[in-house]
Every structure is written in C-alpha cells, then in structure tokens.
C-alpha cells in the first residue's frame, strides 16, 4: 500500500503508483504533470471548437491520430479504448494526421471526441450506440457483446459494413479498426 484516503464510509487505496504527490489545492495547477495536461474531455467547459483548435495547432497537426489521442497534453482523459471508439465512429484510420483531414472531418472528430467520452462516462464504459445496445441486449448479449463498436472485437463483423474488425498495434498499444470504414486514405 502506497497511499490511502479513508472516510467513515469509503477507502481509496493506491498500491501501484511509483510517484505520489500530495499538494494543497492552490498548488495543483502548478504541479509539473497537471500543468502539462490539455483540456479535459469531460469538463463542461471543453467544447468541440476547443478540440478542433487543438487538432489544427502546429504542435499537433502533423501527428498520427493513433499517438495524438493518447497524448494527455492534447486532450486529457482519453485512453486506449476511447481512442479506438472515437476513430471508428468518425471512419478515420489511426495513421491519419489532422493535417490530412478536411475541415468537416476535423469537426466530426472534435465532436465525436466529446460525444463518445461523455457516453462512456454516462454508461460506465459503454461506447456503442444506445439503440444498438438495446437491440443487442434484447437479443441476449452480455455486456462484453454490446459494450464497444470496435474495441476488443477483432475478427467480429463491423456493425456498419460487416467487414471483420482488425487488431493492430499503434504506439505499443492495441487498437481496433474496420479496414473498410476506416481507410488509410480518407476522402
């Protein structure tokens, strides 16, 4: 046990952190790690326009989406499964860079970044379309069968085109995509 916070009703236990900093409220914003974070995807003040501006910013526009969406200085709060789900939702290949995309695609990506992240938060990690989730639940699917549209679905058919979902590695992390819906060269 590295660190514990306890109340009368709950305990928060931290076992695996290698570096722990406990700071006063007024010092949080100046902590070296916190100061480097980008906009928080679940912050009500984070708009799709802000994410659009991040996408076209000089420090981000030339980076592959596969790496960019795991960079917490670009957009904080996005992890591996959200990266897959956002890119799949937009039909974008992970090797695309913001500079390769049209304004319309950038706007769609910015909006999906908020939409998918908020959906995951509201549903305890389910990113699939609510109407699809309901259909799959009615058909008897368990949570693992309806949770994602692409993530962890290698070999299973894409819900849009029925092409098998592929698993690739990007940035030493697994990523899933539909080769038909997410072509390498976007239009």
């Amino acid at each position: 046990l590295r660190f514990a916070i306890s109340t009368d009703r709950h305990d928060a236990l931290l076992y695996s952190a290698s570096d722990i900093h406990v700071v006063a409220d007024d010092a949080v914003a100046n902590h070296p790690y916190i100061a480097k974070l980008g906009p928080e995807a679940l912050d009500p003040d984070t708009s799709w326009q802000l994410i659009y501006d991040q996408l076209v910013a000089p420090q981000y526009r030339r980076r592959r989406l596969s790496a960019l969406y795991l960079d917490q200085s670009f957009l904080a709060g996005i992890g591996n499964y959200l990266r897959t789900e956002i890119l799949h939702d937009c039909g974008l290949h992970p090797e695309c860079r913001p500079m390769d995309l049209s304004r319309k695609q950038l706007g769609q990506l910015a909006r999906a970044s908020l939409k998918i992240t908020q959906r995951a938060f509201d549903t305890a990690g389910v990113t699939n379309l609510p109407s699809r989730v309901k259909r799959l639940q009615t058909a008897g699917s368990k949570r693992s069968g309806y949770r994602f549209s692409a993530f962890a679905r290698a070999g299973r058919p894409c819900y849009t085109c029925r092409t098998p979902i592929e698993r690739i590695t990007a940035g030493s992390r697994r990523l899933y995509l539909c080769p038909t819906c997410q072509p390498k060269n976007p239009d």
Side-chain angles (χ1 to χ4, degrees):
L1 180 64
R2 300 287 312 235
F3 187 75
I5 299 173
S6 298
T7 69
D8 291 340
R9 295 177 43 209
H10 300 284
D11 295 310
L13 307 175
L14 183 61
Y15 287 94
S16 63
S18 57
D19 193 18
I20 302 167
H21 295 252
V22 179
V23 297
D25 286 349
D26 59 349
V28 170
N30 294 324
H31 185 278
Y33 178 79
I34 302 292
K36 290 190 276 186
L37 291 176
E40 165 59 51
L42 289 173
D43 185 330
D45 293 331
T46 299
S47 66
W48 73 267
Q49 295 95 338
L50 177 60
I51 297 172
Y52 182 99
D53 291 344
Q54 290 283 90
L55 286 163
V56 298
Q59 68 268 36
Y60 301 122
R61 65 185 304 274
R62 289 182 171 78
R63 296 187 54 200
R64 289 182 179 169
L65 295 175
S66 60
L68 186 59
Y69 268 79
L70 292 182
D71 182 345
Q72 299 297 299
S73 72
F74 164 69
L75 185 60
I78 304 293
N80 204 37
Y81 83 88
L82 288 173
R83 168 182 70 164
T84 287
E85 295 295 289
I86 291 165
L87 296 179
H88 185 261
D89 184 76
C90 295
L92 296 174
H93 194 278
E95 289 184 12
C96 292
R97 303 170 299 172
M99 65 185 282
D100 301 327
L101 306 176
S102 68
R103 288 175 53 142
K104 181 179 179 181
Q105 289 171 313
L106 289 166
Q108 181 184 16
L109 180 56
R111 286 178 175 90
S113 299
L114 293 178
K115 174 184 73 176
I116 300 292
T117 303
Q118 189 64 54
R119 182 184 299 155
F121 179 78
D122 292 342
T123 61
V126 176
T127 56
N128 220 336
L129 293 168
S131 58
R132 184 178 297 139
V133 169
K134 186 172 243 174
R135 264 193 330 273
L136 291 168
Q137 286 174 326
T138 300
S141 288
K142 295 181 180 179
R143 179 179 167 84
S144 62
Y146 64 74
R147 182 174 178 194
F148 301 122
S149 64
F151 188 79
R153 295 192 65 243
R156 295 167 68 191
C158 173
Y159 290 116
T160 304
C161 72
R162 310 304 293 164
T163 301
I165 298 291
E166 293 180 358
R167 176 185 169 157
I168 64 171
T169 300
S172 302
R173 307 277 301 273
R174 64 187 171 136
L175 195 149
Y176 300 83
L177 62 91
C178 172
T180 301
C181 294
Q182 296 173 261
K184 276 193 177 182
N185 300 316
D187 296 332

